[in-house]
Amino acid sequence: MRVYMKAILAAAGVAALATSASAETIRVFANSAHQIAFEGQGGQADASLADAFERETGIKVVWETVPYPEMRQTMLRALAGRSAQYDVVMVENSWAVPSVLDKLVSVNSVASPDQTDELADIFPAMKGDFTQNGELKGVPIRSNPQIVHFNKKIFSERGIDVPISFEAMLDAAEKASYKRSDGASIYGLAIKPNEDLISIVKALGGGIVSPNYEVLVDTPETIAAIKRIRTLFDDGAIPPNFFSMDSASVQTLMREGLAAMTLFGDNYYLRFNDPNSSRIAGDAGFFAVPGEKDGSYAPTKVAFWSAALPANADAESHANGWKFIHYLASPPVQLQMALNGNGPVSITTLHDPAFIDAAPYAAVSEIALDHASPLLPVFDGTAQIQDTFEQAAVAAILGKETVEVAMSEVAAKIEKIIASKRPE
């Protein structure tokens, strides 16, 4: 990777000077994935961008990382404060509701025209989610296309082929579930209830809320999908405590060889194959999320992150924060971060031979990007609808009430949320 670091330094016009002893500091709100993309896995010297950025700008980056489940509420509190806790915040697209965008600084107010022109290579739809009244409020710097990660050893031992439809994938999950000779339970599919339940419903032809705010949660397709998940639960194909699992616990099941499949961002392939942290290193494979028909692909969750400037910070903070964001968005830096496991936000990086060579999942990532579909419409009621649906779906899957009753009741609740919070 040294050759790419040299290219980055040359592109930035960085002289071979020692870092200033009086470097300024910026605080960046993020999670560990953002820091790893910038500094490299394990702080590899030939993959880290930290020293190059500090040499160029005299600014030292201090990462304040928060586990994903805690990020949204932490960010909302920080943006609502009278003074800024952070100079730059990483904002996921599902959080980019009007009330959040209101608290971010317009890129046009801090960038030169030439700098805004340099953002043209970023996928337009990603920029669109962070545009308010014609003003860009965040610069996309990381994508996270969801794909299926699977344990090739379990598939081989259980005689399972890579499925070409979603129903076949669920059948494979049931076949891959068994009790190991040492007594350990193996689960065919490990899921995160806050997002994967919706992904499964959509892959089976159902839905929760359409882009034009039509409630779909009580349709026959959605009811059938929840019943199918209930069957998986009854058959032991998903963990019995799935309803309390978060991202970290699902990753642990996969890395320990206790799950045959899971839905995660593409670059988790690198984590599941890391011999320093994963028992399944070398046996972790991947495939695109299949659709209803053989050979088709499902609507796919593609989370992406933008770097943004909090409006409650001062002008100096905005100036230094923009230097960092502009640096992250530059093509050579985007490529290096992609080589460090970051998901591309431009077609140029996605098709770069260096990225394709480093990321064997690149073609599957492009399939996911081509079939990108948000879990729900993004508005001020999104999080409430997601939580309300999750509670009802879990109750139905656990058998606490019938699927029909649970979905009918949650449909009425979602209608009320939409009525009160739908944008004009």
Side-chain angles (χ1 to χ4, degrees):
M1 292 183 184
R2 295 179 188 276
V3 63
Y4 300 108
M5 289 303 300
K6 289 179 180 178
I8 290 166
L9 295 174
V14 179
L17 300 174
T19 301
S20 168
S22 59
E24 296 182 76
T25 297
I26 61 168
R27 298 153 300 167
V28 179
F29 169 80
N31 68 19
S32 59
H34 300 107
Q35 184 175 4
I36 289 170
F38 191 70
E39 295 182 348
Q41 189 78 38
Q44 303 165 27
D46 63 346
S48 179
L49 294 155
D51 289 344
F53 177 72
E54 192 170 344
R55 288 193 198 99
E56 179 184 350
T57 63
I59 298 171
K60 182 178 181 63
V61 180
V62 176
W63 294 89
E64 301 194 15
T65 59
V66 176
Y68 178 78
E70 302 167 21
M71 285 191 74
R72 181 174 173 275
Q73 288 302 320
T74 304
M75 179 200 69
L76 292 175
R77 286 194 297 270
L79 293 181
R82 297 184 68 178
S83 59
Q85 291 180 244
Y86 309 106
D87 302 288
V88 174
V89 291
M90 299 296 179
V91 185
E92 192 186 67
N93 61 302
S94 65
W95 307 338
V97 298
S99 58
V100 169
L101 297 180
D102 285 341
K103 296 179 176 65
L104 303 176
V105 171
S106 167
V107 169
N108 301 79
S109 69
V110 292
S112 68
D114 286 346
Q115 290 174 334
T116 54
D117 288 345
E118 291 168 8
L119 306 178
D121 193 43
I122 296 174
F123 291 118
M126 292 186 181
K127 289 187 291 186
D129 278 6
F130 282 86
T131 299
Q132 184 183 46
N133 300 323
E135 297 285 331
L136 185 64
K137 295 294 190 79
V139 177
I141 53 89
R142 170 183 172 82
S143 70
N144 197 25
Q146 189 166 257
I147 64 176
V148 183
H149 300 268
F150 75 102
N151 187 318
K152 293 187 284 187
K153 184 176 180 182
I154 293 176
F155 268 44
S156 176
E157 290 175 348
R158 305 294 289 176
I160 302 169
D161 295 325
V162 172
I164 58 173
S165 72
F166 202 83
E167 185 56 49
M169 178 177 145
L170 299 184
D171 290 343
E174 291 171 330
K175 191 173 182 179
S177 305
Y178 68 104
K179 187 81 74 174
R180 214 164 52 189
S181 59
D182 62 0
S185 294
I186 307 299
Y187 303 104
L189 181 63
I191 60 174
K192 310 173 292 296
N194 64 323
E195 59 184 72
D196 292 344
L197 291 177
I198 299 179
S199 293
I200 294 171
V201 166
K202 293 182 70 172
L204 292 172
I208 312 304
V209 178
S210 75
N212 63 352
Y213 300 96
E214 178 187 1
V215 176
L216 305 173
V217 74
D218 56 349
T219 60
E221 293 81 4
T222 301
I223 289 171
I226 298 297
K227 287 182 175 180
R228 184 68 180 92
I229 301 171
R230 182 167 172 171
T231 300
L232 292 174
F233 176 77
D234 290 342
D235 291 346
I238 58 177
N241 62 332
F242 80 94
F243 50 87
S244 63
M245 300 191 75
D246 60 12
S247 174
S249 55
V250 171
Q251 287 179 57
T252 298
L253 278 182
M254 195 69 189
R255 286 198 304 262
E256 292 296 314
L258 300 175
M261 288 181 285
T262 190
L263 296 159
F264 259 101
D266 54 2
N267 53 69
Y268 281 83
Y269 168 83
L270 303 176
R271 303 189 190 194
F272 295 143
N273 279 296
D274 180 358
N276 295 317
S277 61
S278 176
R279 291 179 181 271
I280 66 168
D283 286 323
F286 59 86
F287 54 90
V289 183
E292 288 185 87
K293 297 180 180 178
D294 288 358
S296 67
Y297 301 106
T300 307
K301 180 195 174 191
V302 179
F304 62 89
W305 298 81
S306 280
L309 303 172
N312 57 0
D314 59 26
E316 183 181 1
S317 170
H318 292 161
N320 287 338
W322 171 247
K323 289 176 184 177
F324 178 65
I325 294 173
H326 180 242
Y327 183 81
L328 292 183
S330 64
V333 171
Q334 274 290 306
L335 176 58
Q336 182 60 52
M337 290 199 299
L339 297 176
N340 292 348
N342 205 48
V345 295
S346 76
I347 198 72
T348 301
T349 307
L350 187 65
H351 287 172
D352 192 290
F355 173 66
I356 293 171
D357 184 59
Y361 50 80
V364 169
S365 300
E366 187 162 7
I367 291 170
L369 287 164
D370 286 342
H371 292 80
S373 175
L375 294 177
L376 295 165
V378 178
F379 72 116
D380 284 327
T382 299
Q384 190 177 354
I385 288 175
Q386 190 163 353
D387 291 344
T388 302
F389 168 74
E390 179 189 339
Q391 293 169 12
V394 167
I397 293 165
L398 296 180
K400 294 183 178 180
E401 56 185 341
T402 68
V403 177
E404 289 84 356
V405 168
M407 293 302 103
S408 176
E409 291 177 348
V410 80
K413 293 177 181 178
I414 291 174
E415 290 277 11
K416 290 181 179 178
I417 295 169
I418 292 172
S420 65
K421 297 190 176 182
R422 177 177 177 171
E424 296 281 336

